[in-house]
Amino acid sequence: MQTTQPTTIKHEITLFAEPVTHIGNFSITNALITSWGTVLIIVLLVAVLSRSIKQIPGKLQNAFEIILEGAMSLADQVTGSRKITEKVFPLAFSIFAFVLINNWLGILPFGAFGLVEHGADGASFVPFLRSGTADVNTTIALALCAVIGSNIFGIVSIGSWKMLNKYVNLKALGEIFKKIRKEPMILLTAPIMFFVGVLELIGEFAKVASLSFRLFGNVFAGEVLLSAMAAILAYALPVPFLFLEVFVGLIQALIFSILTLVYFTIAAQDHSEHEEHETEHAHA
Amino acid sequence: MQSIISTFHLDIKILIAQLINFAVVIWVLYRFAIKPLNKLMSERSQTIEKGLTDAKSNAETLSKTKEEYEKALREAQKEASDIFTKAKKEAEVKKNEMLEDAKKEVAKTLAQGKTALEEEKQKMLDDAKKELAGLVTSATEKVLTKGISEKIDSSIIEASVAHFK
């Protein structure tokens, strides 16, 4: 670990994933290597599973079925309908698996293996493995999948016109001309509605930012925490924090996938219908 | 924006690489794990449901069959006992009839035997008489030829015949 390394080499945990090697002008970072490892692990697990899928399940299949069943019922609680769950579940579950294994791979002590790179500001240590989710590129990619996916899902579920009106509320503006004689207040409410739509549009970008930076921040902080503890005392002290990181990894994967489910569910809901219902309710 | 990109080393190529990674994960998980397992699980629950309803109907059929079997058994037993009593009665009648017949037959045979015996006896007696008479006659003749009177002759004959009677 850090204390055993020569003092001339810097051991700082960078905010970004360090490139380990280059192919052409494509730099392969340690986070990317870990992600490939994650993909490999998932592919191997699924390969072993899919070979032995039977009507009467074995141990591995049983475990998978329990996980799948539990995840499905949890997703049902979030989405509130089996139909949405069935459509979104593969994406949400893949996010969960990918993030979880990436998080946990980051905790493995292989971070001690790496190479020493001599840069402009002296030699620095570059570990071969870094949690894939401790790289903003990964988390942004996942967040984009979730948010863009949810918008596509919204278009498929309620139609592109309604989806457009969620963000650029042309319908509200149009209603000014339709209803101005009956209720003049619409001159005030319609621009507000339009502005709310713009806020929603900004909110979509905020979703990407919050999803990606929440995950990145947690995992990166975990790595920093672990190395800080190891720097204080390499023996025994990081152990409770390792357990904490295992837990954090699970929680973050869960949060990411559940938020994905939430975004998909919201996208599938028709806002205008909801509002019309409310106004009817108010009139009655 | 530029500072964010440089701070976090945002790289569109790595981002795309990670997107590809994630796409592989989705495809593999969906195609080879979630889809077949979901199909299998729903199939299995259908099979179990079918099995349960089948078992229920089977149990119903079984109890029904058992009832029918018991009913048939009871009927058969009743019928058998009826037949048995009837047969017993018939056998009794038959037995009596046969006994009666046998008695009659025996009596008849006895009577027939008696008469036959009587006849035989009579016949034998007659034959014996005849033969005796012949014998006596020839004997007498032989004696007479030696000079015995007719009177003696006939007396002897009568005496001997009487003796035989």
Side-chain angles (χ1 to χ4, degrees), chain A residues 54-55 61 65 137-138, chain B residues 8 11 18 21-22 40 44:
Chain A
K54 305 181 282 243
Q55 191 71 28
Q61 194 186 334
E65 282 181 8
N137 288 308
T138 317
Chain B
F8 293 105
D11 185 350
Q18 295 286 19
N21 282 346
F22 182 58
L40 194 77
R44 188 186 300 139

Side-chain angles (χ1 to χ4, degrees), chain B residues 67-79:
Chain B
E67 253 169 42
E68 272 170 15
Y69 164 76
E70 272 169 5
K71 203 179 153 198
L73 197 69
R74 271 199 302 273
E75 270 171 15
Q77 273 172 345
K78 206 183 153 209
E79 210 163 301

Side-chain angles (χ1 to χ4, degrees), chain A residues 71 74-76 78-79 84-85 88-89 92 256-266:
Chain A
L74 184 66
D76 276 345
V78 176
T79 58
I84 297 176
T85 305
V88 192
F89 185 76
F256 204 114
S257 46
I258 283 181
L259 278 176
T260 307
L261 283 172
V262 170
Y263 293 158
F264 272 77
T265 314
I266 290 170

Side-chain angles (χ1 to χ4, degrees), chain A residues 201-220:
Chain A
L201 189 61
I202 297 167
E204 290 302 300
F205 292 98
K207 275 180 191 172
V208 177
S210 73
L211 273 181
S212 54
F213 280 96
R214 178 188 304 112
L215 182 57
F216 166 74
N218 271 283
V219 179
F220 178 72

Side-chain angles (χ1 to χ4, degrees), chain A residues 82-110:
Chain A
R82 233 308 117 104
K83 255 172 86 183
I84 297 176
T85 305
E86 273 170 2
K87 284 173 189 156
V88 192
F89 185 76
L91 179 76
F93 189 73
S94 302
I95 286 177
F96 177 75
F98 189 67
V99 171
L100 182 72
I101 295 174
N102 256 324
N103 287 351
W104 282 354
L105 279 183
I107 310 168
L108 290 178
F110 298 128

Side-chain angles (χ1 to χ4, degrees), chain B residues 125 128-129 131-133 135-136 157-165:
Chain B
L125 266 175
K129 266 181 190 171
E131 206 150 309
L132 208 66
L135 267 172
V136 170
I157 292 166
E158 268 171 28
S160 49
V161 169
H163 186 75
F164 273 103
K165 263 190 179 175

Side-chain angles (χ1 to χ4, degrees), chain A residues 15-16 25-27 29 35-36 39 46 50 54-55 57 61 65 69 90-91 94-95 98 136-138 141-142 145 213 216, chain B residues 7-11 13-15 17-19 21-22 24-26 28-30 32-34 36-38 40-41 43-44 47:
Chain A
L15 211 51
F16 49 86
N25 61 352
F26 180 70
S27 53
T29 60
S35 295
W36 285 338
V39 174
V46 171
S50 68
K54 305 181 282 243
Q55 191 71 28
Q61 194 186 334
E65 282 181 8
E69 200 97 48
L91 179 76
S94 302
I95 286 177
F98 189 67
V136 190
N137 288 308
T138 317
L142 288 172
C145 273
F213 280 96
F216 166 74
Chain B
T7 312
F8 293 105
H9 279 218
L10 282 178
D11 185 350
K13 280 180 240 158
I14 289 176
L15 205 147
Q18 295 286 19
L19 274 178
N21 282 346
F22 182 58
V24 170
V25 168
I26 289 184
V28 166
L29 271 176
Y30 179 65
F32 296 105
I34 296 172
L37 275 183
N38 267 337
L40 194 77
M41 287 196 284
E43 270 176 12
R44 188 186 300 139
T47 315

Side-chain angles (χ1 to χ4, degrees), chain B residues 18 53 97 101 107 121:
Chain B
Q18 295 286 19
T53 40
E97 259 175 31
D101 281 359
K121 190 183 163 191

